[in-house]
Amino acid sequence: MEQFLFFFVAFLAIVSAAYFVFSRNPMYALLSLIVTMFSIAGMYILLNAQFLGIVQIIVYAGAIMVLFLYILMMLNLNKADESKKQNTLKFIGVFSAGILLIGMLGAFRGVKQNILAEDGIDFSVGLTKNLGRLLFNEYVVPFELASILILAGIVGAVLIGKKDL
């Protein structure tokens, strides 16, 4: 059942990503990209990487996609702008996709079937509990230094953006 669910979520991610690429309406394209990001988060969760799944939802589907949607609504794109695209850009896109397809086929050629063994798998690897224990025991100094660096960046951004009164 879990394998079927994983393949369903992967199929949903592929279909929504393809709709994003081929959609003519930018609003529907961004909404399909949000579905793609949620599908990728679902795959992370099904692969027992809960932390990556939650970060995928919060950062990509939550923050960045909402920002893209806001920018798209502010730009107010017209259909007249769509016809100005040059054919060379379309050719470069198709050529790049072909090179990517050839690379993926070459990578899959070396993959063997049934390489996963059921015994000996540690299913507690991707759990958030273990990640938190590792961060706050072994890597507490770099973790705190990163938080101080982020705080300094926030204070700097506020000071730069502040208008003189």
Side-chain angles (χ1 to χ4, degrees), residues 14-26 28-34 36:
I14 291 171
V15 168
S16 61
Y19 185 78
F20 170 75
V21 171
F22 295 116
S23 177
R24 294 202 177 265
N25 188 346
Y28 290 144
L30 279 178
L31 290 174
S32 71
L33 191 58
I34 292 172
T36 305

Side-chain angles (χ1 to χ4, degrees), residues 28 38 68 161:
Y28 290 144
F38 274 110
F68 282 169

